[in-house]
Amino acid sequence: MRKLELITHQLMDTLCQKAEETPRLRMNHNFHPTLDDKVQRFLNAMEPGTVIDIHHHKVDEMLILLQGSVKVLLYNDDKEIIDEAILSAKTENYGVQMPANVWHTVECLEPHTVLFEVKEGPFIKHEDSGILK
């Protein structure tokens, strides 16, 4: 029998503690059972100092802020910023929908930040062609 899996402060606090202990300063909690799942949905806890490499996906991606704050930047192929947003309860910007194949990065601005992320699966590890250098 399947059970509800709640997103609670305790779950997010535990995930943030784990993020603090990693060199990347972030930690995921996957809700999808395998990396081959058709929908990738997970919590991404991160601490200040986290800046995700500029990358893109071949699918749309949605980020919903649950706590903390982040800066999201979009780039063109020449590494020029073409759009940006701060996600924070203070700015009333709680999420973004990013189109497929658009270069982007996420920078953590506040301790104990947690995003809920959703994108089409299966998970594909970034190759050099997926990271803007």
Side-chain angles (χ1 to χ4, degrees), residues 3-29:
K3 295 182 181 181
L4 296 175
E5 188 170 356
L6 296 174
I7 299 171
T8 63
H9 281 289
Q10 182 178 356
L11 172 61
M12 291 190 295
D13 287 347
T14 299
L15 199 58
C16 289
Q17 288 172 349
K18 289 179 180 178
E20 288 177 324
E21 297 168 2
T22 68
R24 293 180 347 146
L25 295 173
R26 62 186 165 120
M27 180 63 64
N28 288 359
H29 175 85

Side-chain angles (χ1 to χ4, degrees), residues 10-124:
Q10 182 178 356
L11 172 61
M12 291 190 295
D13 287 347
T14 299
L15 199 58
C16 289
Q17 288 172 349
K18 289 179 180 178
E20 288 177 324
E21 297 168 2
T22 68
R24 293 180 347 146
L25 295 173
R26 62 186 165 120
M27 180 63 64
N28 288 359
H29 175 85
N30 293 345
F31 293 105
H32 49 282
T34 71
L35 295 179
D36 292 329
D37 209 64
K38 292 180 182 179
V39 180
Q40 304 291 296
R41 53 206 184 281
F42 56 96
L43 299 178
N44 190 347
M46 56 186 76
E47 296 299 317
T50 298
V51 180
I52 298 172
D53 288 336
I54 300 170
H55 66 286
H56 69 79
H57 306 283
K58 295 180 181 181
V59 297
D60 294 344
E61 179 178 23
M62 179 170 277
L63 307 177
I64 305 291
L65 182 77
L66 299 179
Q67 64 184 36
S69 63
V70 296
K71 181 189 291 187
V72 179
L73 298 168
L74 300 184
Y75 298 85
N76 63 21
D77 290 339
D78 296 321
K79 296 186 184 179
E80 298 166 332
I81 296 171
I82 58 172
D83 203 359
E84 65 181 275
I86 302 288
L87 303 185
S88 168
K90 298 171 191 167
T91 64
E92 297 187 8
N93 292 332
Y94 301 107
V96 293
Q97 168 67 32
M98 290 183 285
N101 295 309
V102 173
W103 297 108
H104 62 279
T105 187
V106 176
E107 176 184 353
C108 179
L109 301 176
E110 203 173 308
H112 308 298
T113 291
V114 179
L115 294 171
F116 176 69
E117 299 189 28
V118 179
K119 59 184 164 252
E120 184 180 337
F123 173 77
I124 299 171

